[in-house]
Each structure stands twice: as C-alpha cells, then as structure tokens.
Amino acid sequence: MNAILQGRGWKFGDNVDTDVIIPGQYLKFSGAELVAHVMEGVDPTFGRKVQAGDIIVAGKNFGCGSSRETAPGVLKDAGIAAVIAPFFARIFYRNAINLGLPVLECADAGRIDQEDVLEVRLMEGAIVNLTKSEQYTFRPFPQNVMDILQAGGLVKYLESRFANEGDAAR
Amino acid sequence: MGKTLVQKIAERASGVKDVQPGMIVTVNVDIAMMHDSTGPRRIGKTMEKLGRKVWNPDKVVLITDHFTPANDSVEAEILRITREFAKAQGIKRFHEAEGICHIVPVEMGYVRPGMMYVGADSHSTTAGAVGAFAIAVGSTDMLGIMVTGQTWIKVPETIRVTWKGNLPKGAMAKDMMLALISKMGGDGATYQAVEYTGTAVERLSMDERLVLSNMSIELGAKAGVIAPNQIVFDYLAERGVTEFDAVYADGDANYIREVVMDASALRPLVAKPHAPENVDTAKNLEDEGVRIHQAYIGACTGAKFTDLEAAAQVLRGRHVAPGVRLLVAPASVRVFRQAVEAGIVTTLLEAGAQFLPTGCGACAGLGHGILAAGEVCISSTNRNFPGRMGNRQSSVYLGSPATVAASAVAGYVADPATVAGTDAIGTEVAAVARGVAE
C-alpha cells in the first residue's frame, strides 16, 4: 500500500450502517454485481459515480451494525482508497484493516466538503485538504496494524508469516 | 484497583499478568463460531491457499442459519460449500438448519462461563449472557483465528449498567434494552464492554439474559456480559455441563461509567424506523395509529421459547387483524419442539400465525418475509436500519414479542395491555419475564 493517498472526498452523515453500505439481499453476490449496489441505502447512484482513489468522508460511528465484511470489502472493490470519520464502529474498523482498507479517525472530518481533494499521509497521520489548503491530523496506526495494512490485508500478512515460519523450519 | 469481568477473562486467555483496558493482547480462543454467510464460503479457499487446516476442530462451531433452507441455487451452493468444509475439517459441532448461530451454542452448552468466545457475526455478543467474554469479528479475522487459534484484542473499558427494581407486568428484556439504547444512543458504548447487574437482571431467565447481551451491539459495544448465577448454572446443568471456571468482577473494579436504570418504571417500548435508539412507548404509538402489514416474531433476539410463550399469552383466544400477516420463525428446532409440546404452536396457529423455518430469515433481509416498498412491519428482531428487512422504502418497528403479538391483533402498533387487558397479560407475561421465582 502507498503511504500517501490522493483522491476526491465523498461526504456522508453520522451512523452510516452496514445495511446502508451493502443491503443484506445482495450478500450472496460478489465482485461487480456487489459493487453496483455500494452505498445504495443512502445514495443509489453512488456505484456509478465513484472512481478509483476516491475517499469517503463520513460522520461519527461509520460502519455500525452487522459484522459483514462485505461492507468494507465492497468499498474497497469500488476503488475507495480510505475512509475518514471522527470514529468508526468497532467491527467495521477491524474488518477494514483486515482487508487492507485504511480507516482514519479524524476529529476534523466535518471540515471536509464534498469533492474536496485530499492527500492522506498514512505514516505521518496527516490529511491535507488541497482544495481548502488546510491540514488535519489523525493518530497513526500502531506497528502491528500498519504491518497488516502494508501487507495488503491479513491474508497476505499471514501468507508471508507462514512462509517465513516455513523457512525457519527448513 | 480491582478488575472487571472481561479484564479477568482477557488476562486468563492471554496469559498476560496484569491486563489493563487499552492494552492490545493476543488471546487464545476457547470457542470460535461462524455461519454459512460469514464462514467457509469466504475463508475456505484462502485456508487451502495458506496450506493450513482448522487449528482445533473441537473448538469450532459451524452453523447454517442465514441461507436455510436455500431459496435459490446460489444459496444452495453456499450451503454445499459449508457442509463440505465441516466434513473436510472434521468439525463435529456442525449444525445445519437446527437454529440460529447465537442460540444453538448456548442451547448445546458449548459456551460456558469464563470462556473467550469469538463469533463471525455481530450478534455474537449474545454469548456474554452466560458470563463469557464474547466478541464479534468479520470473516478475515475469523480466518486468522481458524488457522492460529488466536486473535488480538484491545482490552475494553467496562460500563456497568445496573437495573434496580423488578420488571413490571407485561415488560420484557427487550424493553430493558430499548430503554437503554434510547438513553445511551447507538454509539453509547462503542469499543467498550457493558456489564449488566442489579436485581432485575439477576432474576432474568436464561432466554431473557440473552436479549441483553445480544442487543449490546446496538450500543456499539464490544461485549455485553452478565455475571453467572444459579439460574445460569441450573440451565447448564440441564445440559450436563458442570465444569467451567466462572469469573466475576472484583468489588473495587474500575468502571469507566455507571448507568442506573429502574426496571419497575418500564412500560412496553417500540423502536421506530430507522434506528434502534429511536424509541417511544408502545402506548404513544398506539395513540398515533401506525398501521402495520406484517408482524414478525423471529431472530436470535426474539424467537426463543419464552418469546413464543409471551406471544401466545397475548394471542390466546384472539385473532390476527385482517390484512396483517403474522410470521413466526422459531429461533431453533429445539425451541420449536418445546413450543409444540407446550401447546404454544397450536395457540399461535389458531390466532392466524404462519410458521417459517428456523433461521435468520427476514431479520437479515433473506429468506421469507421480505417487505415491499411502503410496507410497515413490527418485529421482535434487533435492527431496523433502512432496507434491513428488504425494501429500502419499507419501515420496521422493533418491540418485544408481546408487543408484536398485540400489534398483530390490533392491526396497528399497540401496547400489549390494551389488547390483552392489563391483568390478563400482566400476570402471565410477568411470570415469563421474571424467569424464576422471586
């Protein structure tokens, strides 16, 4: 994963729940069939508008509700590079990291407007609003979480861990 | 400074000597539960790729409940994958279409006091009702647990919620949770554990305790625990379970917040669309005259034996209003059998109820009982987010099984006391809600 991300911000409100991000009736699908319905619960046209590298800027408690990993998964598949919110629902937060989607807790998320262009500096814990020439901060990830994100998610992280264990055994 | 219940379990499961809230520790998992939607279909292939098998098949519980019975070939395929995974991995605790994944592990006595329990479904907090530290994770997290038997957790702060007094006639554990969520908000306990205590909690039956732990996730909580007492021990003993290491908070444990609630003041409550925190009294809504199309008694929150019993007490000798469909999906086959033996199924059928297979069904927007645009449902389930039960333009009200049953009879959201008479319903439902004797 790139330590510096740049993209357009898409604004959403408080308590965006997993049923809004991807409704239950689509859970049996995957890939493009699923992406077509991303954020359908709040903006049915979002799946057509979103572009690779875009950043979601939400209100508090983003991702509340179900443990379905499909929620961060479909955001990632839709090209979302990161999600910024004052704070996230716990399971969503964990799921996002496990899938390699950076979730940034930033108290100033509300200062960002629709379509502001943002630059996220993951290692520094900084978000630069290029449109407004402002800078906000977030607490950088602890090393164990950064390791998972940088590997591209937990599966890739485990792959390399097991490969190393194998080397050690040999 | 003393330690809370979850702190002590985290300490035991991690082997770390002095576990404090905020610390990230790696824990050994005692029981890991996954189901047909979050389980093998999402992690099986990756496990093969990693060249690893389940770390300990005896500690894994696998349930099919989201896609049972299959409604189409995609769902049938998911069930086939789940079945084959259980066989290939030697998982004996595999339960196909026997009940909901949060009810079966409790019914079977798999989850015990003091355990570190992890489930791949948000309502896995339910298992906290037996005094376990039960948390929910997603599929990839579960994959890591399946191949290592471990996961990392941030040790949470604990909020103590004390329910003083006694539940009055007609009110149930569901009303306790709706009151609490209304007071604290849907993010009132985010990242934190909630420990329920007080006279009203201590007297709750096992079925009712499960509701408190189940809906803790609707506060954003990581876990919702109840210190086990004789009611839990008796329940486990009935299942032949006598060996476990019950854990209790120290008297001087450090709670980040104390919330005191009065159970004796509770009246039947209803969460209005589209959030569980959007609560009003059933009586106020009755006065507004909110017409309903469907009444649903189902889910891990609201279709256990005592839930069906409470509904039957309201429905006995009455009939569902014209134009309203009352759908009942028992939480497990065992619950269904108990309800048949107790004559409850007959009572519900005579009142006009239609039975659906056990499983998650309409609660999760799957299976039968999906709503159309503009339709209104009152439900004993735990969530009413937009589109939760199907169409995005539908509306879901949440209430206790007694309130759902009363509304089915009235044809609009109603207080059970209005429909069944204060005395009749009061006495009977109170006996249910209180669980064991005073």
Side-chain angles (χ1 to χ4, degrees), chain A residues 11-44:
Chain A
K11 286 281 282 188
F12 293 95
D14 291 343
N15 300 313
V16 170
D17 62 75
T18 49
D19 283 301
V20 160
I21 299 169
I22 191 71
Q25 65 261 44
Y26 306 123
L27 288 182
K28 60 187 171 194
F29 301 118
S30 57
E33 275 181 296
L34 205 55
V35 169
H37 300 286
V38 63
M39 299 300 276
E40 187 176 280
V42 63
D43 178 1

PDB file of all heavy atoms in Angstrom, chain A residues 11-44:
ATOM      1  N   LYS A  11     -18.842  12.927   0.843  1.00  0.00           N
ATOM      2  CA  LYS A  11     -19.356  13.174   2.185  1.00  0.00           C
ATOM      3  C   LYS A  11     -20.583  12.325   2.517  1.00  0.00           C
ATOM      4  O   LYS A  11     -21.509  12.197   1.707  1.00  0.00           O
ATOM      5  CB  LYS A  11     -19.770  14.646   2.304  1.00  0.00           C
ATOM      6  CG  LYS A  11     -18.604  15.592   2.411  1.00  0.00           C
ATOM      7  CD  LYS A  11     -18.023  15.613   3.824  1.00  0.00           C
ATOM      8  CE  LYS A  11     -18.888  16.459   4.773  1.00  0.00           C
ATOM      9  NZ  LYS A  11     -18.205  16.628   6.070  1.00  0.00           N
ATOM     10  N   PHE A  12     -20.602  11.796   3.736  1.00  0.00           N
ATOM     11  CA  PHE A  12     -21.774  11.089   4.253  1.00  0.00           C
ATOM     12  C   PHE A  12     -22.002  11.515   5.702  1.00  0.00           C
ATOM     13  O   PHE A  12     -21.115  12.082   6.330  1.00  0.00           O
ATOM     14  CB  PHE A  12     -21.589   9.574   4.155  1.00  0.00           C
ATOM     15  CG  PHE A  12     -21.552   9.081   2.728  1.00  0.00           C
ATOM     16  CD1 PHE A  12     -20.348   8.897   2.065  1.00  0.00           C
ATOM     17  CD2 PHE A  12     -22.733   8.845   2.048  1.00  0.00           C
ATOM     18  CE1 PHE A  12     -20.321   8.457   0.751  1.00  0.00           C
ATOM     19  CE2 PHE A  12     -22.719   8.411   0.723  1.00  0.00           C
ATOM     20  CZ  PHE A  12     -21.509   8.217   0.074  1.00  0.00           C
ATOM     21  N   GLY A  13     -23.191  11.211   6.215  1.00  0.00           N
ATOM     22  CA  GLY A  13     -23.558  11.663   7.558  1.00  0.00           C
ATOM     23  C   GLY A  13     -23.133  10.712   8.674  1.00  0.00           C
ATOM     24  O   GLY A  13     -22.285   9.846   8.484  1.00  0.00           O
ATOM     25  N   ASP A  14     -23.760  10.882   9.837  1.00  0.00           N
ATOM     26  CA  ASP A  14     -23.473  10.055  11.016  1.00  0.00           C
ATOM     27  C   ASP A  14     -24.129   8.675  10.878  1.00  0.00           C
ATOM     28  O   ASP A  14     -25.140   8.520  10.180  1.00  0.00           O
ATOM     29  CB  ASP A  14     -24.053  10.718  12.282  1.00  0.00           C
ATOM     30  CG  ASP A  14     -23.327  11.997  12.657  1.00  0.00           C
ATOM     31  OD1 ASP A  14     -22.205  12.215  12.161  1.00  0.00           O
ATOM     32  OD2 ASP A  14     -23.895  12.786  13.445  1.00  0.00           O
ATOM     33  N   ASN A  15     -23.591   7.718  11.612  1.00  0.00           N
ATOM     34  CA  ASN A  15     -24.206   6.386  11.773  1.00  0.00           C
ATOM     35  C   ASN A  15     -24.548   5.692  10.457  1.00  0.00           C
ATOM     36  O   ASN A  15     -25.597   5.058  10.345  1.00  0.00           O
ATOM     37  CB  ASN A  15     -25.474   6.484  12.639  1.00  0.00           C
ATOM     38  CG  ASN A  15     -25.190   7.034  14.021  1.00  0.00           C
ATOM     39  OD1 ASN A  15     -24.248   6.610  14.681  1.00  0.00           O
ATOM     40  ND2 ASN A  15     -25.979   8.002  14.435  1.00  0.00           N
ATOM     41  N   VAL A  16     -23.697   5.824   9.455  1.00  0.00           N
ATOM     42  CA  VAL A  16     -23.916   5.075   8.206  1.00  0.00           C
ATOM     43  C   VAL A  16     -23.675   3.599   8.543  1.00  0.00           C
ATOM     44  O   VAL A  16     -22.581   3.211   8.925  1.00  0.00           O
ATOM     45  CB  VAL A  16     -22.955   5.540   7.094  1.00  0.00           C
ATOM     46  CG1 VAL A  16     -23.027   4.595   5.893  1.00  0.00           C
ATOM     47  CG2 VAL A  16     -23.303   6.963   6.670  1.00  0.00           C
ATOM     48  N   ASP A  17     -24.756   2.787   8.461  1.00  0.00           N
ATOM     49  CA  ASP A  17     -24.643   1.411   8.928  1.00  0.00           C
ATOM     50  C   ASP A  17     -24.373   0.458   7.773  1.00  0.00           C
ATOM     51  O   ASP A  17     -24.453   0.827   6.609  1.00  0.00           O
ATOM     52  CB  ASP A  17     -25.907   1.017   9.695  1.00  0.00           C
ATOM     53  CG  ASP A  17     -27.136   1.079   8.819  1.00  0.00           C
ATOM     54  OD1 ASP A  17     -27.304   0.175   7.981  1.00  0.00           O
ATOM     55  OD2 ASP A  17     -27.915   2.051   8.945  1.00  0.00           O
ATOM     56  N   THR A  18     -24.055  -0.776   8.143  1.00  0.00           N
ATOM     57  CA  THR A  18     -23.660  -1.761   7.131  1.00  0.00           C
ATOM     58  C   THR A  18     -24.811  -2.132   6.198  1.00  0.00           C
ATOM     59  O   THR A  18     -24.573  -2.536   5.064  1.00  0.00           O
ATOM     60  CB  THR A  18     -23.107  -3.031   7.811  1.00  0.00           C
ATOM     61  OG1 THR A  18     -24.024  -3.428   8.815  1.00  0.00           O
ATOM     62  CG2 THR A  18     -21.750  -2.779   8.430  1.00  0.00           C
ATOM     63  N   ASP A  19     -26.053  -2.006   6.659  1.00  0.00           N
ATOM     64  CA  ASP A  19     -27.193  -2.282   5.778  1.00  0.00           C
ATOM     65  C   ASP A  19     -27.318  -1.208   4.699  1.00  0.00           C
ATOM     66  O   ASP A  19     -27.866  -1.439   3.628  1.00  0.00           O
ATOM     67  CB  ASP A  19     -28.501  -2.350   6.581  1.00  0.00           C
ATOM     68  CG  ASP A  19     -28.643  -3.669   7.323  1.00  0.00           C
ATOM     69  OD1 ASP A  19     -28.635  -4.716   6.664  1.00  0.00           O
ATOM     70  OD2 ASP A  19     -28.728  -3.640   8.553  1.00  0.00           O
ATOM     71  N   VAL A  20     -26.834  -0.019   5.006  1.00  0.00           N
ATOM     72  CA  VAL A  20     -26.836   1.079   4.042  1.00  0.00           C
ATOM     73  C   VAL A  20     -25.677   0.893   3.049  1.00  0.00           C
ATOM     74  O   VAL A  20     -25.830   1.095   1.851  1.00  0.00           O
ATOM     75  CB  VAL A  20     -26.712   2.433   4.789  1.00  0.00           C
ATOM     76  CG1 VAL A  20     -26.238   3.530   3.860  1.00  0.00           C
ATOM     77  CG2 VAL A  20     -28.039   2.809   5.433  1.00  0.00           C
ATOM     78  N   ILE A  21     -24.538   0.476   3.557  1.00  0.00           N
ATOM     79  CA  ILE A  21     -23.352   0.296   2.708  1.00  0.00           C
ATOM     80  C   ILE A  21     -23.594  -0.830   1.699  1.00  0.00           C
ATOM     81  O   ILE A  21     -23.315  -0.686   0.511  1.00  0.00           O
ATOM     82  CB  ILE A  21     -22.089   0.011   3.565  1.00  0.00           C
ATOM     83  CG1 ILE A  21     -21.807   1.194   4.502  1.00  0.00           C
ATOM     84  CG2 ILE A  21     -20.879  -0.255   2.675  1.00  0.00           C
ATOM     85  CD1 ILE A  21     -20.760   0.931   5.567  1.00  0.00           C
ATOM     86  N   ILE A  22     -24.123  -1.950   2.198  1.00  0.00           N
ATOM     87  CA  ILE A  22     -24.489  -3.035   1.278  1.00  0.00           C
ATOM     88  C   ILE A  22     -25.641  -3.848   1.889  1.00  0.00           C
ATOM     89  O   ILE A  22     -25.450  -4.600   2.828  1.00  0.00           O
ATOM     90  CB  ILE A  22     -23.262  -3.914   0.889  1.00  0.00           C
ATOM     91  CG1 ILE A  22     -23.603  -4.856  -0.250  1.00  0.00           C
ATOM     92  CG2 ILE A  22     -22.633  -4.611   2.060  1.00  0.00           C
ATOM     93  CD1 ILE A  22     -23.791  -4.178  -1.595  1.00  0.00           C
ATOM     94  N   PRO A  23     -26.859  -3.651   1.358  1.00  0.00           N
ATOM     95  CA  PRO A  23     -28.038  -4.319   1.926  1.00  0.00           C
ATOM     96  C   PRO A  23     -27.924  -5.853   1.897  1.00  0.00           C
ATOM     97  O   PRO A  23     -27.291  -6.430   1.004  1.00  0.00           O
ATOM     98  CB  PRO A  23     -29.176  -3.850   1.026  1.00  0.00           C
ATOM     99  CG  PRO A  23     -28.703  -2.553   0.458  1.00  0.00           C
ATOM    100  CD  PRO A  23     -27.225  -2.736   0.277  1.00  0.00           C
ATOM    101  N   GLY A  24     -28.562  -6.481   2.891  1.00  0.00           N
ATOM    102  CA  GLY A  24     -28.475  -7.925   3.099  1.00  0.00           C
ATOM    103  C   GLY A  24     -28.811  -8.765   1.881  1.00  0.00           C
ATOM    104  O   GLY A  24     -28.196  -9.799   1.643  1.00  0.00           O
ATOM    105  N   GLN A  25     -29.777  -8.314   1.083  1.00  0.00           N
ATOM    106  CA  GLN A  25     -30.224  -9.184  -0.017  1.00  0.00           C
ATOM    107  C   GLN A  25     -29.168  -9.363  -1.099  1.00  0.00           C
ATOM    108  O   GLN A  25     -29.314 -10.214  -1.966  1.00  0.00           O
ATOM    109  CB  GLN A  25     -31.554  -8.698  -0.612  1.00  0.00           C
ATOM    110  CG  GLN A  25     -31.508  -7.365  -1.300  1.00  0.00           C
ATOM    111  CD  GLN A  25     -32.026  -6.257  -0.394  1.00  0.00           C
ATOM    112  OE1 GLN A  25     -31.695  -6.192   0.786  1.00  0.00           O
ATOM    113  NE2 GLN A  25     -32.826  -5.360  -0.942  1.00  0.00           N
ATOM    114  N   TYR A  26     -28.083  -8.566  -1.059  1.00  0.00           N
ATOM    115  CA  TYR A  26     -27.025  -8.727  -2.070  1.00  0.00           C
ATOM    116  C   TYR A  26     -25.848  -9.570  -1.555  1.00  0.00           C
ATOM    117  O   TYR A  26     -24.885  -9.774  -2.269  1.00  0.00           O
ATOM    118  CB  TYR A  26     -26.506  -7.367  -2.523  1.00  0.00           C
ATOM    119  CG  TYR A  26     -27.590  -6.441  -3.012  1.00  0.00           C
ATOM    120  CD1 TYR A  26     -27.781  -5.191  -2.449  1.00  0.00           C
ATOM    121  CD2 TYR A  26     -28.457  -6.849  -4.031  1.00  0.00           C
ATOM    122  CE1 TYR A  26     -28.800  -4.357  -2.883  1.00  0.00           C
ATOM    123  CE2 TYR A  26     -29.488  -6.026  -4.462  1.00  0.00           C
ATOM    124  CZ  TYR A  26     -29.651  -4.782  -3.879  1.00  0.00           C
ATOM    125  OH  TYR A  26     -30.656  -3.979  -4.302  1.00  0.00           O
ATOM    126  N   LEU A  27     -25.957 -10.025  -0.287  1.00  0.00           N
ATOM    127  CA  LEU A  27     -24.807 -10.698   0.330  1.00  0.00           C
ATOM    128  C   LEU A  27     -24.377 -11.961  -0.397  1.00  0.00           C
ATOM    129  O   LEU A  27     -23.239 -12.388  -0.286  1.00  0.00           O
ATOM    130  CB  LEU A  27     -25.108 -11.040   1.795  1.00  0.00           C
ATOM    131  CG  LEU A  27     -25.152  -9.853   2.754  1.00  0.00           C
ATOM    132  CD1 LEU A  27     -25.414 -10.323   4.172  1.00  0.00           C
ATOM    133  CD2 LEU A  27     -23.857  -9.059   2.706  1.00  0.00           C
ATOM    134  N   LYS A  28     -25.312 -12.557  -1.126  1.00  0.00           N
ATOM    135  CA  LYS A  28     -24.919 -13.798  -1.803  1.00  0.00           C
ATOM    136  C   LYS A  28     -24.109 -13.519  -3.062  1.00  0.00           C
ATOM    137  O   LYS A  28     -23.540 -14.435  -3.643  1.00  0.00           O
ATOM    138  CB  LYS A  28     -26.153 -14.644  -2.108  1.00  0.00           C
ATOM    139  CG  LYS A  28     -27.184 -13.998  -2.985  1.00  0.00           C
ATOM    140  CD  LYS A  28     -28.423 -14.895  -3.035  1.00  0.00           C
ATOM    141  CE  LYS A  28     -29.565 -14.179  -3.715  1.00  0.00           C
ATOM    142  NZ  LYS A  28     -30.841 -14.857  -3.500  1.00  0.00           N
ATOM    143  N   PHE A  29     -24.066 -12.274  -3.494  1.00  0.00           N
ATOM    144  CA  PHE A  29     -23.306 -11.926  -4.697  1.00  0.00           C
ATOM    145  C   PHE A  29     -21.878 -11.515  -4.346  1.00  0.00           C
ATOM    146  O   PHE A  29     -21.532 -11.338  -3.183  1.00  0.00           O
ATOM    147  CB  PHE A  29     -23.989 -10.799  -5.462  1.00  0.00           C
ATOM    148  CG  PHE A  29     -25.388 -11.136  -5.876  1.00  0.00           C
ATOM    149  CD1 PHE A  29     -26.469 -10.402  -5.403  1.00  0.00           C
ATOM    150  CD2 PHE A  29     -25.629 -12.209  -6.729  1.00  0.00           C
ATOM    151  CE1 PHE A  29     -27.765 -10.732  -5.781  1.00  0.00           C
ATOM    152  CE2 PHE A  29     -26.918 -12.543  -7.108  1.00  0.00           C
ATOM    153  CZ  PHE A  29     -27.992 -11.798  -6.636  1.00  0.00           C
ATOM    154  N   SER A  30     -21.063 -11.333  -5.390  1.00  0.00           N
ATOM    155  CA  SER A  30     -19.701 -10.844  -5.154  1.00  0.00           C
ATOM    156  C   SER A  30     -19.252 -10.035  -6.362  1.00  0.00           C
ATOM    157  O   SER A  30     -19.961  -9.944  -7.363  1.00  0.00           O
ATOM    158  CB  SER A  30     -18.758 -12.029  -4.910  1.00  0.00           C
ATOM    159  OG  SER A  30     -18.809 -12.912  -6.001  1.00  0.00           O
ATOM    160  N   GLY A  31     -18.081  -9.434  -6.261  1.00  0.00           N
ATOM    161  CA  GLY A  31     -17.473  -8.713  -7.377  1.00  0.00           C
ATOM    162  C   GLY A  31     -18.331  -7.562  -7.889  1.00  0.00           C
ATOM    163  O   GLY A  31     -18.936  -6.815  -7.115  1.00  0.00           O
ATOM    164  N   ALA A  32     -18.400  -7.427  -9.238  1.00  0.00           N
ATOM    165  CA  ALA A  32     -19.064  -6.284  -9.861  1.00  0.00           C
ATOM    166  C   ALA A  32     -20.554  -6.232  -9.530  1.00  0.00           C
ATOM    167  O   ALA A  32     -21.138  -5.160  -9.378  1.00  0.00           O
ATOM    168  CB  ALA A  32     -18.870  -6.338 -11.383  1.00  0.00           C
ATOM    169  N   GLU A  33     -21.169  -7.390  -9.377  1.00  0.00           N
ATOM    170  CA  GLU A  33     -22.599  -7.440  -9.041  1.00  0.00           C
ATOM    171  C   GLU A  33     -22.860  -6.760  -7.702  1.00  0.00           C
ATOM    172  O   GLU A  33     -23.903  -6.165  -7.475  1.00  0.00           O
ATOM    173  CB  GLU A  33     -23.066  -8.895  -8.951  1.00  0.00           C
ATOM    174  CG  GLU A  33     -23.464  -9.510 -10.270  1.00  0.00           C
ATOM    175  CD  GLU A  33     -23.933 -10.948 -10.079  1.00  0.00           C
ATOM    176  OE1 GLU A  33     -23.103 -11.777  -9.667  1.00  0.00           O
ATOM    177  OE2 GLU A  33     -25.104 -11.207 -10.331  1.00  0.00           O
ATOM    178  N   LEU A  34     -21.878  -6.900  -6.814  1.00  0.00           N
ATOM    179  CA  LEU A  34     -21.987  -6.316  -5.481  1.00  0.00           C
ATOM    180  C   LEU A  34     -21.674  -4.817  -5.539  1.00  0.00           C
ATOM    181  O   LEU A  34     -22.392  -3.993  -4.963  1.00  0.00           O
ATOM    182  CB  LEU A  34     -20.999  -7.045  -4.562  1.00  0.00           C
ATOM    183  CG  LEU A  34     -21.257  -7.093  -3.078  1.00  0.00           C
ATOM    184  CD1 LEU A  34     -22.627  -7.670  -2.783  1.00  0.00           C
ATOM    185  CD2 LEU A  34     -20.196  -7.950  -2.398  1.00  0.00           C
ATOM    186  N   VAL A  35     -20.617  -4.459  -6.259  1.00  0.00           N
ATOM    187  CA  VAL A  35     -20.174  -3.063  -6.338  1.00  0.00           C
ATOM    188  C   VAL A  35     -21.296  -2.170  -6.888  1.00  0.00           C
ATOM    189  O   VAL A  35     -21.451  -1.018  -6.479  1.00  0.00           O
ATOM    190  CB  VAL A  35     -18.895  -2.950  -7.202  1.00  0.00           C
ATOM    191  CG1 VAL A  35     -18.577  -1.497  -7.526  1.00  0.00           C
ATOM    192  CG2 VAL A  35     -17.706  -3.576  -6.472  1.00  0.00           C
ATOM    193  N   ALA A  36     -22.119  -2.714  -7.778  1.00  0.00           N
ATOM    194  CA  ALA A  36     -23.217  -1.930  -8.366  1.00  0.00           C
ATOM    195  C   ALA A  36     -24.161  -1.392  -7.282  1.00  0.00           C
ATOM    196  O   ALA A  36     -24.856  -0.408  -7.490  1.00  0.00           O
ATOM    197  CB  ALA A  36     -23.986  -2.794  -9.351  1.00  0.00           C
ATOM    198  N   HIS A  37     -24.160  -2.039  -6.113  1.00  0.00           N
ATOM    199  CA  HIS A  37     -25.103  -1.641  -5.049  1.00  0.00           C
ATOM    200  C   HIS A  37     -24.423  -0.923  -3.886  1.00  0.00           C
ATOM    201  O   HIS A  37     -25.049  -0.715  -2.837  1.00  0.00           O
ATOM    202  CB  HIS A  37     -25.834  -2.880  -4.535  1.00  0.00           C
ATOM    203  CG  HIS A  37     -26.613  -3.593  -5.596  1.00  0.00           C
ATOM    204  ND1 HIS A  37     -27.803  -3.103  -6.098  1.00  0.00           N
ATOM    205  CD2 HIS A  37     -26.351  -4.732  -6.283  1.00  0.00           C
ATOM    206  CE1 HIS A  37     -28.251  -3.925  -7.033  1.00  0.00           C
ATOM    207  NE2 HIS A  37     -27.387  -4.916  -7.174  1.00  0.00           N
ATOM    208  N   VAL A  38     -23.156  -0.545  -4.043  1.00  0.00           N
ATOM    209  CA  VAL A  38     -22.432   0.069  -2.929  1.00  0.00           C
ATOM    210  C   VAL A  38     -23.106   1.377  -2.474  1.00  0.00           C
ATOM    211  O   VAL A  38     -23.510   2.189  -3.295  1.00  0.00           O
ATOM    212  CB  VAL A  38     -20.942   0.308  -3.297  1.00  0.00           C
ATOM    213  CG1 VAL A  38     -20.807   1.288  -4.449  1.00  0.00           C
ATOM    214  CG2 VAL A  38     -20.138   0.800  -2.098  1.00  0.00           C
ATOM    215  N   MET A  39     -23.285   1.523  -1.189  1.00  0.00           N
ATOM    216  CA  MET A  39     -23.906   2.703  -0.557  1.00  0.00           C
ATOM    217  C   MET A  39     -25.342   2.936  -1.049  1.00  0.00           C
ATOM    218  O   MET A  39     -25.873   4.038  -0.906  1.00  0.00           O
ATOM    219  CB  MET A  39     -23.065   3.970  -0.794  1.00  0.00           C
ATOM    220  CG  MET A  39     -21.666   3.910  -0.228  1.00  0.00           C
ATOM    221  SD  MET A  39     -21.603   3.675   1.563  1.00  0.00           S
ATOM    222  CE  MET A  39     -21.799   5.333   2.137  1.00  0.00           C
ATOM    223  N   GLU A  40     -25.947   1.895  -1.584  1.00  0.00           N
ATOM    224  CA  GLU A  40     -27.282   2.037  -2.170  1.00  0.00           C
ATOM    225  C   GLU A  40     -28.298   2.569  -1.158  1.00  0.00           C
ATOM    226  O   GLU A  40     -29.221   3.302  -1.504  1.00  0.00           O
ATOM    227  CB  GLU A  40     -27.735   0.674  -2.702  1.00  0.00           C
ATOM    228  CG  GLU A  40     -29.024   0.711  -3.482  1.00  0.00           C
ATOM    229  CD  GLU A  40     -29.357  -0.658  -4.053  1.00  0.00           C
ATOM    230  OE1 GLU A  40     -28.778  -1.012  -5.097  1.00  0.00           O
ATOM    231  OE2 GLU A  40     -30.176  -1.370  -3.449  1.00  0.00           O
ATOM    232  N   GLY A  41     -28.097   2.201   0.091  1.00  0.00           N
ATOM    233  CA  GLY A  41     -29.057   2.603   1.120  1.00  0.00           C
ATOM    234  C   GLY A  41     -29.126   4.109   1.340  1.00  0.00           C
ATOM    235  O   GLY A  41     -30.106   4.620   1.874  1.00  0.00           O
ATOM    236  N   VAL A  42     -28.104   4.847   0.916  1.00  0.00           N
ATOM    237  CA  VAL A  42     -28.123   6.295   1.138  1.00  0.00           C
ATOM    238  C   VAL A  42     -28.015   7.059  -0.186  1.00  0.00           C
ATOM    239  O   VAL A  42     -28.532   8.165  -0.311  1.00  0.00           O
ATOM    240  CB  VAL A  42     -27.023   6.709   2.158  1.00  0.00           C
ATOM    241  CG1 VAL A  42     -25.641   6.399   1.653  1.00  0.00           C
ATOM    242  CG2 VAL A  42     -27.137   8.161   2.544  1.00  0.00           C
ATOM    243  N   ASP A  43     -27.359   6.472  -1.191  1.00  0.00           N
ATOM    244  CA  ASP A  43     -27.224   7.113  -2.495  1.00  0.00           C
ATOM    245  C   ASP A  43     -27.170   6.033  -3.583  1.00  0.00           C
ATOM    246  O   ASP A  43     -26.097   5.497  -3.892  1.00  0.00           O
ATOM    247  CB  ASP A  43     -25.946   7.971  -2.526  1.00  0.00           C
ATOM    248  CG  ASP A  43     -25.713   8.633  -3.889  1.00  0.00           C
ATOM    249  OD1 ASP A  43     -26.556   8.444  -4.799  1.00  0.00           O
ATOM    250  OD2 ASP A  43     -24.700   9.333  -4.026  1.00  0.00           O
ATOM    251  N   PRO A  44     -28.328   5.707  -4.164  1.00  0.00           N
ATOM    252  CA  PRO A  44     -28.392   4.600  -5.134  1.00  0.00           C
ATOM    253  C   PRO A  44     -27.509   4.815  -6.372  1.00  0.00           C
ATOM    254  O   PRO A  44     -27.230   3.869  -7.098  1.00  0.00           O
ATOM    255  CB  PRO A  44     -29.870   4.543  -5.526  1.00  0.00           C
ATOM    256  CG  PRO A  44     -30.589   5.209  -4.404  1.00  0.00           C
ATOM    257  CD  PRO A  44     -29.655   6.272  -3.893  1.00  0.00           C
TER     258      PRO A  44
END
